[in-house]
Amino acid sequence: MTEQKSKENASFFKIFLIFAKIGAFTIGGGYAMIPLIQNEMVKRGWLDEKEFPDLIALSQAAPGILAVNISIFVGYKLRGTKGSIVATLGSILPSFLIILAIAMAFTGYQDNPVVMRIFKGIRPVVVALIAAPMVRMAMQNNRKVWQWAIMLASLAMTAFLSISPIYIMLCVIVVASGVTIYNDKKLKRKMQIKKIKDRRKEDGK
């Protein structure tokens, strides 16, 4: 009921406005957008707190820009295909206009010492904006030791061994699929054994 009400309150104009605000006030692009997107979506009831990590995983796995993928998923969930188009336009239009204005006005000033100092000052903030949602999602979703082990191993392989994240994702998908199939077969065997035992009990009666 709450989800249906949230969808009804999500007009095309409101979707466009929220994603335009996210696109306009986020420094650092895709990953830096994550805390602002999370705050805006959860606050309005457009996404559940537990859904957000799954959304990030899907957006990362799909080809394309992270922020655009998130916009497509959320827009489609709220208002279907038209909602995804409106959300995507909202997220990319401010960035396009701002970058266009910067390119036109500051092309001749890119080597200016003042401009270079400004961008050097912005970089640590961008790193913090990217790191904050990652740490928060890790704390929320890694409940078991093996989950932390997979996360830290993936981090080490990416950061120190320079292994492509694509290979890591493919390995995780293969292993997860294998474990899921094994667990399903194990559960089916248990159910079959239980049925046989129940039949024997009934026959014994």
Side-chain angles (χ1 to χ4, degrees):
M1 190 73 179
T2 308
E3 186 178 349
Q4 184 64 31
K5 194 173 180 182
S6 299
K7 287 182 180 180
E8 288 173 2
N9 292 333
S11 64
F12 289 120
F13 178 72
K14 188 176 282 188
I15 292 171
F16 179 84
L17 203 64
I18 295 304
F19 277 94
K21 183 174 82 170
I22 292 167
F25 292 99
T26 305
I27 299 172
Y31 289 98
M33 280 182 166
I34 291 173
L36 189 54
I37 292 172
Q38 184 179 23
N39 181 59
E40 293 289 343
M41 299 301 107
V42 173
K43 182 173 68 177
R44 287 172 173 75
W46 292 358
L47 277 179
D48 188 78
E49 191 78 44
K50 294 178 181 178
E51 287 181 290
F52 198 74
D54 296 332
L55 174 66
I56 298 299
L58 283 169
S59 300
Q60 286 178 314
I65 303 166
L66 179 67
V68 173
N69 290 346
I70 292 173
S71 304
I72 292 169
F73 279 120
V74 175
Y76 187 83
K77 182 186 176 185
L78 294 173
R79 298 300 297 270
T81 304
K82 291 180 181 177
S84 66
I85 294 169
V86 170
T88 304
L89 287 173
S91 66
I92 64 175
L93 193 59
S95 303
F96 171 76
L97 294 175
I98 291 167
I99 293 298
L100 182 63
I102 290 172
M104 292 170 66
F106 292 103
T107 304
Y109 299 94
Q110 59 186 4
D111 296 325
N112 187 293
V114 176
V115 174
M116 291 175 71
R117 287 194 198 100
I118 290 170
F119 280 104
K120 281 181 180 177
I122 290 172
R123 285 172 194 166
V125 178
V126 173
V127 173
L129 289 172
I130 294 170
M134 299 298 106
V135 172
R136 193 181 303 117
M137 281 193 291
M139 298 296 291
Q140 288 173 351
N141 295 282
N142 294 340
R143 304 291 183 183
K144 298 180 180 178
V145 175
W146 65 267
Q147 291 174 326
W148 281 103
I150 290 174
M151 188 201 78
L152 293 172
S154 301
L155 178 64
M157 285 187 287
T158 306
F160 303 112
L161 301 178
S162 299
I163 297 173
S164 172
I166 296 171
Y167 298 134
I168 295 171
M169 290 295 292
L170 288 173
C171 288
V172 170
I173 289 168
V174 170
V175 172
S177 300
V179 171
T180 303
I181 293 167
Y182 173 78
N183 287 335
D184 286 343
K185 287 182 178 179
K186 193 175 179 182
L187 183 63
K188 284 178 183 177
R189 283 193 201 119
K190 284 183 178 179
M191 294 296 290
Q192 287 174 351
I193 292 167
K194 189 179 178 183
K195 284 180 182 178
I196 292 168
K197 286 182 178 179
D198 290 341
R199 282 176 187 172
R200 286 177 180 173
K201 285 181 182 179
E202 288 177 3
D203 293 339
K205 290 178 181 179

